[in-house]
Amino acid sequence: MLIRLLLFLLLSTPLLAQSRREAGLELVLLADASGSIDPDELAFQRQGYALAMTDPAVVAAIQNSTYGNVAVTYVEWASNTAVVVPWVIVDGPDTAEDFANALIGPPRQAYGSNAIGGALLDAKRLIEQNDIFAPRAVIDFSGDSIRNSSGPGIAQARAEVLAAGITINALPILRPEDGRRAGANLEEEYATRIIGGAGAFMVTAEGRTSFAETVRRKLVLEISGLTLDTYRTALSDKAQASSP
């Protein structure tokens, strides 16, 4: 976080401002498209993120943030990674809707088994090589397993991402009906091996019915910079203030 903030201050000159876009947050939505995710599930995940991004609570979090905008890209990972929606600056309902519409249509381009380390490093490159600069950068990693069948190891990739000042949050997708994919310790594995960096946290998706709501809550936290504890406190304070 401190590294990125210092770079932001150093690079925010009038000349560079003409060639680079500014945002309050660079957010890579890094979604599982490995062999355990069938076409219906892939479409369901995209729909969940589209609904979450256009949710009034998420749009309000964006507009009420320090910069009033976020830069977001949607990337699917398997043996390879594929950019589904390139970087978009979202600053209100219209641009949120543009992002959601762009997310629904593209064909699947990520296939094969798990390469989590490679996916994290590709997300890091997307942040470092774009035309956007922000004081915060987050990789929002989601998946239904912890296997790493090819490419760089998870520990090595995670260390490189964190060294660059990028936070990794996680969304483990539990499959109670399918222990082979979910794994009894998926949440523990994501908590110890995936998340890291300033304010890092994990929110669990426990099934289809709550997926979009879980993503919505996660986006509000990431955009606002709140932690799970401060988010719960804010909700409690709001409920108390509205009670007679």
Side-chain angles (χ1 to χ4, degrees), residues 72-88:
V72 59
T73 181
Y74 190 93
V75 181
E76 289 172 342
W77 65 269
S79 292
N80 64 305
T81 57
V83 175
V84 180
V85 182
W87 287 105
V88 175

Side-chain angles (χ1 to χ4, degrees), residues 11 13 18 54 60 71 78 81 83 85 88 113 133 136 186 192 205 216:
L11 296 175
T13 64
Q18 295 175 14
T54 55
T81 57
V83 175
V85 182
V88 175
S113 57
F133 202 86
R136 292 197 297 135
L186 187 64
T192 57
R216 181 198 68 81

Side-chain angles (χ1 to χ4, degrees), residues 6-91:
L6 290 173
L7 286 172
F8 179 79
L9 294 173
L10 288 171
L11 296 175
S12 294
T13 64
L15 179 61
L16 288 172
Q18 295 175 14
S19 59
R20 305 200 72 176
R21 296 179 288 171
E22 291 184 9
L25 169 69
E26 291 169 275
L27 178 62
V28 179
L29 301 175
L30 192 58
D32 193 348
S34 61
S36 62
I37 306 295
D38 65 31
D40 287 342
E41 291 170 321
L42 190 83
F44 178 78
Q45 286 186 170
R46 291 185 183 183
Q47 184 66 36
Y49 276 95
L51 289 171
M53 185 60 70
T54 55
D55 187 278
V58 174
V59 174
I62 293 170
Q63 294 181 316
N64 292 330
S65 64
T66 303
Y67 286 77
N69 66 7
V70 299
V72 59
T73 181
Y74 190 93
V75 181
E76 289 172 342
W77 65 269
S79 292
N80 64 305
T81 57
V83 175
V84 180
V85 182
W87 287 105
V88 175
I89 302 290
V90 178
D91 57 6

